[in-house]
Amino acid sequence: MVKIKNIVVFASGNGSNFIAIHKSIEDGKINGRIVLLISNNPHSKAIDFARLNNIKTSIINKDIISDLVRHKDFLLKELESVNTDLIVLAGYLKMIPINIISEYKNKILNIHPSLLPKFGGKGFYGMKVHEAVFKSKEVFTGATVHFVDEIYDNGPILSQKKIKIFHDDNPETIAKKVLDIEHRLLPYIVQKFCLDKIVFKNKKPIVIGE
Ligand code: GRF
């Protein structure tokens, strides 16, 4: 029997990816439970959803902890207090402190709304990604789930899903279609992680059954 994983989700905005993971758990598709939702934004819809669903929440931002060192320590303590097995960045707009990245190496997933390495890195977030994709006249875009390392949108890719861009698409329609595939891709990879189906071969992660 594979141990049930304790999942901590980080979200800053609407939280639709967080809700998609929660739904997959409710549907019995993920061998895990969400033990904590962390946000930098007290007005995030993810916070409202977590509270309604009795999920523990923690808000961490500069208004609450101004000192960067205390911020890092606090975050680590929060993660340790719930015996975190997996961290999922589901639309989290802040950089994860380096101490957390090394402590939870290969245990932090991120979802990005493009086919990385295209349209990733600093400055590529939210609608900015889809506007850049649209302007560049790409034929395809999509979503990527990857492990997080010290550099923005850089860690090893676990899975990508592609969609075609049509003549009548615009940044808004692209965003909507990409978000739709994110809601399937992220729970799928969380499910694989929770079943220990992400293994390493020659230091590269492989998703078993991909
Ligand atoms: C998603 O497009 C995700 O890829 C990106 O931020 C967006 C978050 O959406 N990192 P939501 O808050 O999950 O609705």
Side-chain angles (χ1 to χ4, degrees):
M1 264 291 275
V2 180
K3 173 189 172 276
I4 295 178
K5 303 289 189 291
N6 290 333
I7 305 168
V8 175
V9 180
F10 283 62
S12 301
N14 283 329
S16 68
N17 277 292
F18 162 54
I19 295 168
I21 296 169
H22 180 264
K23 184 173 185 308
S24 264
I25 292 173
E26 295 278 285
D27 292 347
K29 291 182 187 157
I30 292 177
N31 179 43
R33 56 187 159 227
I34 300 172
V35 287
L36 177 64
L37 182 270
I38 293 181
S39 185
N40 58 308
N41 174 12
H43 308 295
S44 162
K45 289 189 186 145
I47 291 281
D48 296 341
F49 182 86
R51 285 182 181 149
L52 271 175
N53 287 278
N54 297 317
I55 295 168
K56 188 181 171 206
T57 60
S58 185
I59 296 164
I60 303 179
N61 61 30
K62 278 193 201 135
D63 298 335
I64 294 166
I65 306 170
S66 55
D67 179 310
L68 219 59
V69 176
R70 277 183 48 226
H71 176 275
K72 286 187 206 166
D73 294 346
F74 181 76
L75 204 51
L76 192 57
K77 280 202 188 106
E78 284 289 82
L79 294 170
E80 285 171 352
S81 76
V82 290
N83 297 318
T84 306
D85 295 306
L86 169 67
I87 295 171
V88 183
L89 308 184
Y92 188 63
L93 294 177
K94 296 282 166 192
M95 192 81 185
I96 298 294
I98 205 93
N99 64 324
I100 307 288
I101 295 176
S102 27
E103 193 69 31
Y104 291 92
K105 191 170 162 53
N106 297 326
K107 290 180 180 169
I108 310 178
L109 299 174
N110 181 46
I111 180 123
H112 185 80
S114 78
L115 295 171
L116 289 175
K118 287 185 176 178
F119 307 101
K122 214 166 164 45
F124 282 115
Y125 60 89
M127 281 309 290
K128 289 191 192 298
V129 176
H130 306 299
E131 278 154 12
V133 167
F134 178 71
K135 268 193 204 141
S136 70
K137 308 247 181 297
E138 292 279 324
V139 181
F140 292 101
T141 187
T144 304
V145 176
H146 65 95
F147 276 134
V148 170
D149 68 9
E150 300 76 8
I151 305 166
Y152 262 127
D153 300 330
N154 176 74
I157 291 174
L158 295 162
S159 191
Q160 295 188 305
K161 279 275 166 296
K162 243 188 200 179
I163 56 157
K164 193 165 169 19
I165 300 171
F166 294 96
H167 293 300
D168 57 353
D169 272 319
N170 56 52
E172 285 71 30
T173 60
I174 295 171
K176 198 169 175 303
K177 288 178 198 174
V178 170
L179 196 57
D180 208 45
I181 55 172
E182 287 183 44
H183 294 160
R184 275 171 280 139
L185 182 63
L186 185 56
Y188 170 73
I189 293 298
V190 171
Q191 173 197 29
K192 291 286 186 183
F193 183 98
C194 291
L195 289 173
D196 295 337
K197 293 217 159 150
I198 301 180
V199 296
F200 282 82
K201 217 174 179 182
N202 302 324
K203 294 190 177 165
K204 280 197 176 155
I206 294 169
V207 181
I208 297 173
E210 261 283 271

